[in-house]
């Protein structure tokens, strides 16, 4: 099919073509052919690239493989690996992940590449191993191979310019317009989010509104075309999402039409036109690209917490689901790449795209808020040296990040690492000096506690080069520790592998440690929940994912508690219901209607917490449960507990003689 498609003179970017066999390619598949270098865009149509035409004329498969290698990672590199010895798909996957930092969870991407190599005669598969053929060796000798790299630094990319209605949208984005964008707290795009499915869904829904569509017909269209959106409420939510994304607008009390920007995207088929249109309408969209680039590998949960800094019309952060919808769109447009289930990074195209956009900075978003709701952060997310930060945790995290790059002053990171661990509940002290451990901390209390050694390595370029690890055992013996915490901004690949393989070393990147410290102010973890941070059985790349489960559980727990108070308050305000009582079954049913599917034990635990006499916002009787205070009062009482503990700690630190001298 690909050979037949490249022989055609022009193809619509929306997937329409006169070739019956090519018409089976959907829009996302055509976009992949563009990224593979086989199709090129010229105005509103896709044409075979010069390389594709040369391959089609000659029939030489080596030209196809050379084109794919130039445009797709891990094609020639896979051939290079097979030149040394036959390998299985699993072994190639391990190589792609460890040597080239490719974020692949399954062998699917490897199979995709080796399928091309197999049909072109470059590799042969037998005995479950891939073998490089003589033809493959001849082609490999002509390829310029890349070197393993953990990022895309130095990669150049060509950014297509905005034109027409989309360019007008971007040009109109002054600070007032950026502030007026929709929060998009309840975004729902029907269909799948993977493999460009979200773009196909948006394309289909937007086309349905050209020239116009009624409310009733839109709901009917969604329910007819998307199996998972069968209810009228879900279809209406999808319609509101398209409005928030800037793709449809009301033209009467009953009808909707596609916006000029959306029509321009439909005509061009250019994913960046969609991204620009969405950015012009939706808050915290293009700004995500800057956050990921400036702050490092943030999880979706961390991005959700930071979102409130860019939402001038909202006092609460976005949900993880709302952030995930944004990330799925950015990924489908090629602006971010997924490193794991919850971690993304900005692509070179994304960086160029971000620089071309007017974006709302944190200071701009927060400048009109009351002073007590502002976050004193600059656009990079780190506090200025001469400005008071929002919390001690922010100060400690920021110092840790700065110290990690201050390689001439190695003791600075040693002290910062000990301070960060102490803030998390691992008290200790800085030691330092030649031949000694950098620090020691204690995990746990009493007889069950354990001493951990701290070794901190800074690097100005963010990557610690090869350093011997054999002396760490002596350092552990010196302080009676069983585990070494090796802390640094990043480590050279071979050093990281050696440390990860050592059962007595837990590798912790300063970026993750700083994130844990920052989160501890708002999503605190217990010591048991923090265990993955210092567990030597986990590799460095696995720690964030292990902690994310606990963070997510904490967030869900808080959301459930908040929802329970809201449900009971609504029941109390209902004039038809006497007393405002709800039994456990009714509460669980109400939570399900709000999207929370939690077990009975979890609901009872949350109710017991809210009924605790130190909070006392829920009352229990044989009739069930009811609220004795509003949502705001409940939040104030919970926050007050923290203030009481701080006051108690201050009182404990005041000496008796000081108290006697106070009036």
């Amino acid at each position: 099919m690909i050979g037949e498609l490249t022989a055609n003179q022009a193809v619509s970017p929306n997937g329409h073509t006169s070739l019956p066999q090519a018409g089976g390619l959907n829009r996302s598949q055509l976009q992949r052919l563009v990224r593979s270098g086989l199709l090129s865009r010229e105005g509103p149509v896709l044409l075979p690239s010069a390389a594709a035409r040369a391959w089609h004329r000659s029939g030489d498969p080596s030209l196809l493989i050379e084109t794919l290698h130039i445009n797709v990672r891990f094609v020639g590199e896979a051939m290079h690996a097979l030149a040394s010895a036959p390998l299985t798909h699993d072994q190639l996957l391990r190589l792609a992940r460890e040597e080239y930092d490719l974020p692949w969870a399954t062998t699917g991407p490897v199979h995709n590449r080796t399928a091309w190599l197999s049909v072109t005669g470059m590799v042969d598969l037998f005995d479950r191993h891939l073998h490089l053929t003589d033809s493959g060796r001849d082609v490999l000798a002509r390829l310029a191979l890349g070197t393993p790299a953990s990022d895309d630094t130095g990669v150049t990319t060509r950014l297509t310019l905005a034109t027409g209605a989309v360019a007008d949208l971007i040009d109109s984005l002054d600070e007032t317009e950026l502030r007026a964008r929709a929060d998009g707290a309840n975004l729902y795009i029907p269909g799948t989010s993977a493999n460009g499915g979200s773009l196909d869904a948006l394309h289909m829904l937007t086309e349905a509104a050209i020239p116009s569509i009624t409310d009733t017909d839109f709901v009917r269209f969604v329910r007819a075309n998307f199996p998972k959106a069968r209810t009228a409420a879900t279809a209406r939510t999808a319609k509101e999402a398209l409005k928030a994304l800037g793709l449809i607008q009301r033209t009467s009390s009953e009808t909707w039409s596609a916006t000029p920007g959306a029509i321009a995207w439909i005509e061009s088929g250019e994913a960046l036109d969609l991204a620009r249109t969405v950015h012009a309408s939706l808050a915290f969209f293009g700004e995500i690209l800057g956050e990921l680039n400036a702050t490092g590998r943030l999880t979706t949960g961390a991005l959700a917490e930071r979102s409130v800094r860019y939402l001038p019309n909202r006092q609460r952060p976005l949900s993880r689901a709302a952030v995930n919808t944004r990330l799925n769109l950015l990924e489908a447009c090629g602006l971010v790449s997924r490193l794991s289930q919850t971690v993304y990074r900005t692509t070179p195209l994304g960086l160029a795209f971000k620089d071309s956009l007017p974006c709302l900075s944190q200071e701009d978003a927060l400048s009109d808020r009351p002073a007590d709701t502002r976050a004193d952060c600059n656009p990079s997310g780190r506090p200025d040296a001469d400005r008071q930060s929002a919390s001690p945790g922010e100060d400690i995290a920021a110092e840790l990040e700065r110290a990690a790059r201050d390689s001439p002053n190695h003791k600075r990171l040693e002290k910062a690492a000990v301070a960060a661990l102490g803030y998390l509940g691992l008290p200790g002290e800085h030691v330092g000096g030649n031949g000694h451990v950098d620090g020691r901390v204690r995990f746990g209390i009493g007889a069950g506690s354990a001493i951990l050694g701290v070794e901190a390595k800074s690097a100005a370029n963010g990557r610690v080069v090869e350093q011997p690890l054999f002396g760490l055992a002596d350092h552990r013996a010196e302080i009676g520790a069983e585990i070494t915490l090796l802390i640094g901004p990043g480590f050279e690949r071979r050093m990281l592998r050696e440390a990860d393989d050592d059962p007595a070393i837990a590798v912790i990147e300063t970026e993750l440690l700083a994130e844990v410290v920052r989160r501890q102010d708002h999503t605190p973890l217990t010591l048991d929940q923090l265990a993955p941070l210092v567990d030597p059985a986990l590799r460095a790349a696995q720690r964030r994912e292990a902690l994310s489960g606990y963070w997510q559980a904490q967030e869900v727990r808080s959301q459930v508690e908040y929802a329970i108070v809201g449900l009971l308050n609504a029941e109390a305000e209902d004039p038809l219901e006497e007393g405002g009582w709800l039994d456990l079954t009714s509460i669980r049913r109400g939570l399900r209607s709000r999207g929370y599917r939690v077990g009975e034990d979890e609901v009872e635990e949350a109710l017991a917490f809210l009924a605790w006499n130190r909070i006392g916002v829920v009352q229990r009787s044989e009739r069930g449960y009811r609220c004795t205070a509003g949502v705001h009062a409940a939040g104030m009482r919970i926050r007050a507990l923290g203030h009481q503990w701080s006051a108690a700690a201050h009182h404990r630190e005041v000496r008796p003689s000081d108290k006697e001298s106070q009036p």
Side-chain angles (χ1 to χ4, degrees), residues 458-582:
S458 56
N461 65 355
R463 186 169 293 245
V464 180
V465 298
E466 187 80 34
Q467 292 192 20
L469 302 177
F470 57 83
L472 300 187
D474 293 337
H475 291 178
R476 290 193 295 271
E478 178 186 7
I479 60 172
E482 297 181 0
I483 296 171
T484 294
L485 306 181
L486 182 60
I487 300 173
F491 297 89
E492 184 271 334
R493 187 171 283 102
R494 290 180 180 81
M495 181 183 179
L496 176 61
R497 186 180 302 149
E498 181 183 351
D500 268 340
D501 289 343
D502 192 316
I505 297 178
V507 181
I508 307 174
E509 294 184 355
T510 51
E511 177 188 306
L512 174 61
L513 183 55
E515 180 184 353
V516 177
V517 168
R518 286 190 174 99
R519 281 176 170 267
Q520 200 69 0
D521 287 335
H522 305 288
T523 317
L525 300 183
T526 65
L527 204 60
D528 286 344
Q529 292 169 335
L530 285 169
L533 181 67
V534 299
D535 185 357
L538 293 176
R539 307 184 81 81
Q542 298 172 321
R543 299 192 190 283
R544 179 180 273 107
E545 195 68 29
L547 292 167
S548 292
Y550 292 118
W551 283 326
Q552 184 175 4
Q554 287 272 31
E555 292 166 0
V556 171
R557 171 67 184 268
S558 298
Q559 292 166 8
V560 168
E561 292 166 354
Y562 184 90
I564 287 174
V565 176
L567 280 171
L568 294 175
N569 268 271
E571 186 72 9
E573 295 293 336
D574 189 339
L576 299 179
E577 298 296 334
E578 183 180 352
W581 296 96
L582 284 178

Side-chain angles (χ1 to χ4, degrees), residues 153-359:
T153 303
V155 176
T156 58
T157 186
R158 180 174 174 268
L159 183 70
T160 57
L161 298 178
T163 59
V166 177
D168 293 340
L169 267 179
I170 298 302
D171 290 342
S172 69
L173 287 179
D174 56 16
E175 183 178 330
T176 301
E177 292 296 325
L178 287 168
R179 286 173 173 277
R181 292 177 300 171
D183 289 344
N186 297 303
L187 295 176
Y188 168 68
I189 301 174
T192 61
S193 60
N195 299 323
S198 56
L199 296 193
D200 290 335
L202 291 177
H203 192 276
M204 182 186 300
L205 293 170
T206 303
E207 276 194 322
I210 300 175
S212 65
I213 189 170
T214 65
D215 287 286
T216 303
D217 287 343
F218 191 96
V219 170
R220 187 181 297 115
F221 181 84
V222 173
R223 297 176 69 179
N225 288 277
F226 298 96
K228 293 185 179 180
R230 292 298 190 189
T231 67
T234 303
R236 286 193 293 269
T237 302
K239 180 183 64 183
E240 291 302 316
L242 256 70
K243 176 185 175 183
L245 296 173
L247 299 178
I248 62 173
Q249 60 188 356
R250 272 212 178 271
T251 51
S252 76
S253 61
E254 297 181 352
T255 60
W256 297 81
S257 291
T259 63
I263 293 173
W265 166 53
I266 295 296
E267 291 175 347
S268 72
E270 173 57 63
L272 294 186
D273 284 344
L274 170 65
R276 293 181 177 109
T277 302
V278 172
H279 174 72
S281 181
L282 185 69
F284 197 54
F285 187 71
E287 289 82 2
I288 288 179
L289 302 174
E291 276 289 334
L292 291 175
N293 184 53
T295 316
R297 296 184 180 182
L298 291 175
T299 63
T300 52
L303 279 173
E305 291 182 2
R306 300 175 78 85
S307 67
V308 73
R309 306 178 182 189
Y310 296 91
L311 302 170
N313 306 316
R314 183 181 173 88
Q315 301 298 321
R316 292 189 294 126
L318 295 170
S319 67
R320 291 165 59 95
V323 172
N324 274 327
T325 301
R326 287 164 164 82
L327 287 167
N328 287 335
L329 274 180
L330 290 168
E331 182 184 19
C333 293
L335 302 175
V336 302
S337 59
R338 187 192 299 259
L339 300 179
S340 71
Q341 189 64 26
T342 60
V343 180
Y344 295 76
R345 73 176 174 199
T346 308
T347 64
L349 179 61
L351 292 176
F353 182 75
K354 164 66 170 59
D355 292 340
S356 73
L357 294 176
C359 291

